[in-house]
Amino acid sequence: MAAAVGSPAPDFTARNQHGEQVRLSDYAGRRDVVLVFYPYAFSQVCTSELAALRDRPELLAAAEFLAISCDPMYTLRAYADAQKLEFGLLSDFWPHGAIASAYGVFDADRGCAVRGTFVVDRTGVIRWSVVNPIPEARDLDDYAAVLASLAGDLG
């Protein structure tokens, strides 16, 4: 079962595609965060989803986007370079799938995350989520609407 809206977001530390440590709780009080779990770097649907996100600079400016897969850090670096992805790609490689498991989106049979997205507000609470089956892409306009509503909450 996916982490519930209204509950505290499970904290984690992971390495991004540059080998830097990223901790979710470091964004507390500073920025809303969108966690985008995806199955595999270089796969067709994942690449189209993350490229669509890359091509929405206004959306990327609205929050910190962290895309998370069970791929190794070096694969994520090659993937980010090949696709010109400048937002954080986090490796959930070891312990394998621990972050995805904490959010309830790890498919143990396939050894990867399903397409789960969680919007975490500045207080560290999950404000919105969606979980899609692996072959089904998510709608970026949904992210935009949720982030706009959070921005309105600040005003």
Side-chain angles (χ1 to χ4, degrees):
M1 176 182 287
V5 171
S7 67
D11 197 16
F12 61 82
T13 301
R15 292 203 181 278
N16 68 13
Q17 69 267 34
H18 304 290
E20 302 160 334
Q21 293 260 356
V22 175
R23 185 177 179 98
L24 178 62
S25 59
D26 287 346
Y27 296 99
R30 296 186 313 129
R31 251 184 130 188
D32 298 321
V33 178
V34 181
L35 304 176
V36 181
F37 289 91
Y38 64 101
Y40 304 110
F42 294 104
S43 64
Q44 184 177 357
V45 176
C46 296
T47 298
S48 66
E49 271 193 316
L50 295 181
L53 183 56
R54 173 199 65 212
D55 296 340
R56 298 274 302 264
E58 78 289 352
L59 187 55
L60 292 171
E64 188 71 31
F65 279 78
L66 301 174
I68 305 169
S69 75
C70 294
D71 295 299
M73 179 191 68
Y74 297 106
T75 299
L76 296 180
R77 177 63 186 260
Y79 185 50
D81 289 349
Q83 300 302 317
K84 297 179 176 34
L85 302 174
E86 296 182 11
F87 48 87
L89 302 182
L90 304 184
S91 176
D92 192 13
F93 184 71
W94 197 257
H96 193 76
I99 301 168
S101 293
Y103 281 83
V105 294
F106 185 68
D107 182 330
D109 292 335
R110 292 184 177 172
C112 67
V114 298
R115 290 184 199 289
T117 303
F118 300 85
V119 174
V120 180
D121 72 12
R122 294 169 192 212
T123 68
V125 173
I126 298 171
R127 295 287 298 269
W128 180 83
S129 70
V130 64
V131 178
N132 289 1
I134 285 179
E136 187 179 318
R138 293 160 282 203
D139 186 346
L140 295 183
D141 290 335
D142 292 342
Y143 302 177
V146 172
L147 292 170
S149 74
L150 289 178
D153 288 349
L154 295 175

